[in-house]
Each structure stands twice: as structure tokens, then as C-alpha cells.
């Protein structure tokens, strides 16, 4: 996943309140349950040493959440606050795997990454010969993402084969092709602007095939077609929903497999040069300080995830031993979890993060990285 959502909390000094909470909204006593949950989170933070202003800000954010009658609204939230202010309040796809409230030098962002890992957005393009509607689908449901209307005449072919009608038939097909090109261009713009990872074309078979063929090659590689659903009102179907879920899951599996293949190749599995991959907390910390991490790999519950490292206020200030940070300009380092420190550094430096849920496929210790460039070797 890309980590741009975390930017507001990356370079801001802590300590931080991090709360992962269930936020009920569809029951009769939802407001009361939210209030109780908010009070419990604020109390836990206060017991861990959080200042009252920050506790009050968290309590207000959790208790004041309103879903405005949307029964599909997310039932979990991650809230990050410091110095009396909620800096980031973001929905989770479902209930948090383990609700908790923590007061720590760094925000506890790894559980957010683990929750967001499988939430690959799918841009559904409902196509007909006059244009297309766009919807973005993820774990929170679907939402409109715009539409495009092409040339509306001539659209329909005639049944006659008379010679005098051939020019009209040609004009109709030219209109279809022109509209397909406009849909493809619009789909490319929407895809990149909405953050989707995969695209699904639904609707008129001929037009969606023409749209597919007009997409850039890189986008065609993550674009699929569905025989279900269409642009007309009421044409959505359970079968289309299954197709959306299938392509999202398939994309995530393929992406994780590709990352692991790249990691193994960089780690020298079957080769001789381990320079383009890193495992073990010391090597990962060094790579993070030097901005060499291209893709950070995290495994929930990995042995190295909770290892203690030392951090300063800057994302580049992290070390295995607290004495090391004196050379990085920090005289009062704080202890933090390795996974949170590495994820903060990755987010600050434009890296990607991937969650590998199968420990058998994961790097040793549960943390690893694909590097942007190799480390110098002794023979160089």
C-alpha cells in the first residue's frame, strides 16, 4: 500500500495517542456505546500518562462520530492525537482486529497498515456506446467517481444493407470508436486520481473491449472485464459484486507474490548478491536512515516487529542503540517498536509497504525490505 495518508503525523513530534476503536452506528444505543468506548479510551490514555487535553480531544472525536444514517459506514476508526489535537482520524474497513489505546513516543501506525493492506480499490467503469460512469469500490463500499459522455449521434446502426446506408453504418462505427477513445482517456485520469489499484469494465461487450484495447499497456495489465452489470439504472447485480471482490483479491495476491519474488531475488536466493534486500532490524534501520527502502515488508506478529529501537523526532532519527542517536543530533532518544519506526521512515521517504500474512512466506523475523540501491560490497 502507499503510505501518503500518514503524512500529517510523520514529522510531528510526540508523544502520541493512538486509538483503534469500534464505532457502532447502526443500533438503537449506538450513541451511548460510542460514548462509553470514548470514555474508556481516554481513561486508558490517562493511565499511561497522556495529558488531559489530548485525552479530551480523543474522547470528543470518538464520541462525536456520526454516520448520518449510512448503514455501510465503517465500524472502526484509527485516531492519532498529540498536544491536545487529533491530527489524523481515519476509518478502518471493519472492526479493528484488536481495539486498544496507546500512549507512546511514535504513533502506533502498523495496525493501520495491517488493516489497510487488503483494501485495494477497484475502479468500476460502466460502459455503453454513449459514455461511461465511474465508481470506486473498496472495503467501505462503492462511491461515484464521475462520468464521461461521448458523441451522441449517430449511435444506432440500421438493419438495412442498402448501399446508400453504408456511409451511415460507417459513421455509427466511427462514433463508437471515438467514444471508446474518450472513455479510455477519462478512465485513465480517474484511475490515477482516485488511488485505485485495479479496474473492471462492465456493460456493452463490444464497447468495453474497444475501451480495453485503447488503454495504455500498463493500465491494461490491471484491467478486467465483467459480463454483469451495466450503465443503465438498476443493472447492478450480485454477480457483479462477486466479480469486483474477485479482481480485488486477485490483484492483492499477485502484488504480494511479486514483491516476495523481488525480495527473494534481492536477498540472493538462488544467486550470490544479497545487496538489494535487507532483513534483521540492524540492517533495516541502516537502510531506513539512508533512504534506501523501496518496499517495506511487514508480517503481523513477526518476532522482530516489537523489538526495541531508539528514535528521535525526525523520521531519519532511528538506531538500534540509544548511543547511536547522539551522532544523529538527538540527545534525548526514546524507545519505540521497530515496526512503527521503520514504517514511519518508509512513509516519510515515499516507500511502499506490503503486508505478508503467511509467516512461511515472510522474511525471517517478519520484517524485510526491497532496497532502492545496493549496499557497497567489499570487492567494490
Amino acid at each position: 500500500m502507499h503510505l501518503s495518508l500518514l503524512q500529517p503525523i510523520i514529522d510531528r513530534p510526540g508523544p502520541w495517542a493512538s486509538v483503534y476503536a469500534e464505532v457502532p452506528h447502526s443500533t438503537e444505543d449506538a450513541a451511548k456505546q460510542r460514548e462509553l468506548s470514548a470514555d474508556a479510551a481516554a481513561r486508558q490514555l490517562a493511565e499511561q500518562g497522556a495529558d488531559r487535553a489530548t485525552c479530551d480531544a480523543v474522547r470528543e472525536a470518538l464520541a462525536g462520530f456520526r454516520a448520518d444514517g449510512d448503514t455501510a459506514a465503517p465500524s472502526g476508526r484509527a485516531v492519532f492525537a498529540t498536544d491536545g489535537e487529533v491530527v489524523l482520524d481515519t476509518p478502518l474497513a471493519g472492526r479493528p482486529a484488536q481495539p486498544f489505546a496507546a500512549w507512546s513516543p511514535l504513533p502506533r501506525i502498523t495496525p493501520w497498515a495491517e488493516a489497510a493492506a487488503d483494501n485495494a480499490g477497484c475502479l468500476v467503469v460502466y460502459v455503453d456506446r454513449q459514455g461511461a460512469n465511474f465508481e470506486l469500490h473498496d472495503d467501505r463500499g462503492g462511491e461515484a467517481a464521475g462520468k464521461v459522455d461521448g458523441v451522441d449521434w449517430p449511435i444506432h446502426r440500421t438493419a438495412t444493407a442498402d448501399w446508400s446506408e453504408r456511409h451511415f453504418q460507417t459513421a455509427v462505427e466511427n462514433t463508437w470508436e471515438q467514444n471508446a477513445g474518450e472513455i479510455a482517456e477519462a478512465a485513465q485520469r480517474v484511475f490515477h486520481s482516485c488511488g485505485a489499484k485495479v479496474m473492471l469494465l462492465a456493460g456493452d461487450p463490444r464497447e468495453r473491449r474497444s475501451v480495453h484495447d485503447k488503454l495504455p499497456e500498463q493500465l491494461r495489465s490491471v484491467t478486467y472485464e465483467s459480463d454483469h452489470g451495466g450503465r443503465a439504472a438498476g443493472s447492478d447485480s450480485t454477480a457483479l459484486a462477486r466479480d469486483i471482490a474477485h479482481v480485488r483479491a486477485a490483484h492483492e495476491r499477485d502484488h504480494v507474490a511479486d514483491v516476495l519474488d523481488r525480495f527473494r531475488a534481492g536477498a540472493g536466493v538462488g544467486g550470490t548478491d544479497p545487496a538489494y534486500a535487507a532483513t534483521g532490524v540492524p540492517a533495516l534501520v541502516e537502510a531506513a536512515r539512508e533512504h534506501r527502502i523501496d518496499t517495506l515488508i511487514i508480517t503481523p506478529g513477526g518476532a522482530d516487529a516489537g523489538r526495541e529501537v531508539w528514535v528521535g523526532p525526525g523520521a531519519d532519527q532511528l538506531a538500534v542503540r540509544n548511543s547511536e542517536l547522539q551522532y544523529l543530533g538527538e540527545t534525548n532518544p526514546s524507545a519505540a517498536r521497530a515496526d512503527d519506526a521503520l514504517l514511519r521512515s518508509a512513509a516519510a521517504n515515499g516507500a511502499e509497504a506490503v503486508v505478508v500474512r503467511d509467516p512461511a512466506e515472510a522474511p525471517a523475523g517478519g520484517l524485510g525490505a526491497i532496497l532502492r540501491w545496493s549496499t557497497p560490497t567489499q570487492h567494490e
Side-chain angles (χ1 to χ4, degrees), residues 29-234:
D29 63 343
K32 182 62 176 178
Q33 292 299 320
R34 288 196 301 270
E35 184 177 344
L36 292 173
S37 177
D39 287 343
R43 184 168 58 253
Q44 291 172 38
L45 292 171
E47 291 171 352
Q48 296 174 58
D51 60 277
R52 181 168 182 175
T54 300
C55 294
D56 289 345
V58 168
R59 180 190 294 108
E60 182 178 352
L62 292 175
F65 172 76
R66 295 290 184 272
D68 297 326
D70 182 6
T71 58
S75 57
R77 303 194 75 79
V79 177
F80 304 96
T82 188
D83 197 23
E85 177 187 358
V86 172
V87 182
L88 180 63
D89 180 356
T90 182
L92 302 174
R95 295 179 178 86
Q98 182 178 356
F100 70 89
W103 179 247
S104 53
L106 295 186
R108 288 296 329 279
I109 51 180
T110 302
W112 169 85
E114 293 172 358
D118 299 326
N119 193 21
C122 176
L123 179 65
V124 181
V125 184
Y126 299 94
V127 175
D128 64 20
R129 293 172 182 177
Q130 293 177 283
N133 293 351
F134 304 104
E135 286 183 355
L136 178 64
H137 287 254
D138 58 19
D139 285 348
R140 292 171 287 179
E143 60 177 328
K147 69 175 185 175
V148 59
D149 293 311
V151 177
D152 60 6
W153 187 91
I155 290 293
H156 302 290
R157 299 177 64 176
T158 65
T160 179
D162 187 270
W163 179 88
S164 64
E165 295 295 328
R166 291 180 184 172
H167 71 285
F168 182 80
Q169 309 285 26
T170 301
V172 169
E173 295 193 10
N174 288 341
T175 299
W176 293 349
E177 287 298 307
Q178 179 180 340
N179 287 352
E182 292 185 9
I183 293 169
E185 290 180 8
Q188 182 180 3
R189 292 195 301 270
V190 175
F191 183 85
H192 292 302
S193 64
C194 74
K197 302 301 180 186
V198 65
M199 184 186 296
L200 184 65
L201 304 177
D204 182 87
R206 172 169 175 164
E207 194 71 0
R208 71 176 191 244
R209 171 47 47 182
S210 184
V211 170
H212 184 280
D213 292 344
K214 294 179 187 303
L215 293 170
E217 182 177 354
Q218 186 176 11
L219 187 50
R220 285 202 305 271
S221 67
V222 293
T223 299
Y224 303 82
E225 295 184 50
S226 172
D227 291 328
H228 308 106
R231 199 181 185 202

Side-chain angles (χ1 to χ4, degrees), residues 300-380:
D304 283 345
R307 276 193 56 178
E308 182 180 84
V309 297
W310 295 86
V311 299
D316 295 335
Q317 293 178 309
L318 67 164
V320 176
R321 292 178 292 274
N322 61 357
S323 58
E324 293 180 63
L325 280 184
Q326 297 178 8
Y327 301 102
L328 300 175
E330 176 56 40
T331 58
N332 189 27
S334 301
R337 290 174 57 102
D339 54 0
D340 290 326
L342 290 167
L343 192 58
R344 177 181 71 153
S345 176
N349 293 296
E352 185 189 1
V354 168
V355 173
V356 177
R357 302 196 184 278
D358 184 355
E361 297 289 330
L367 293 176
I370 300 170
L371 305 181
R372 288 171 171 157
W373 64 86
S374 64
T375 54
T377 57
Q378 291 183 353
H379 64 270
E380 290 181 328

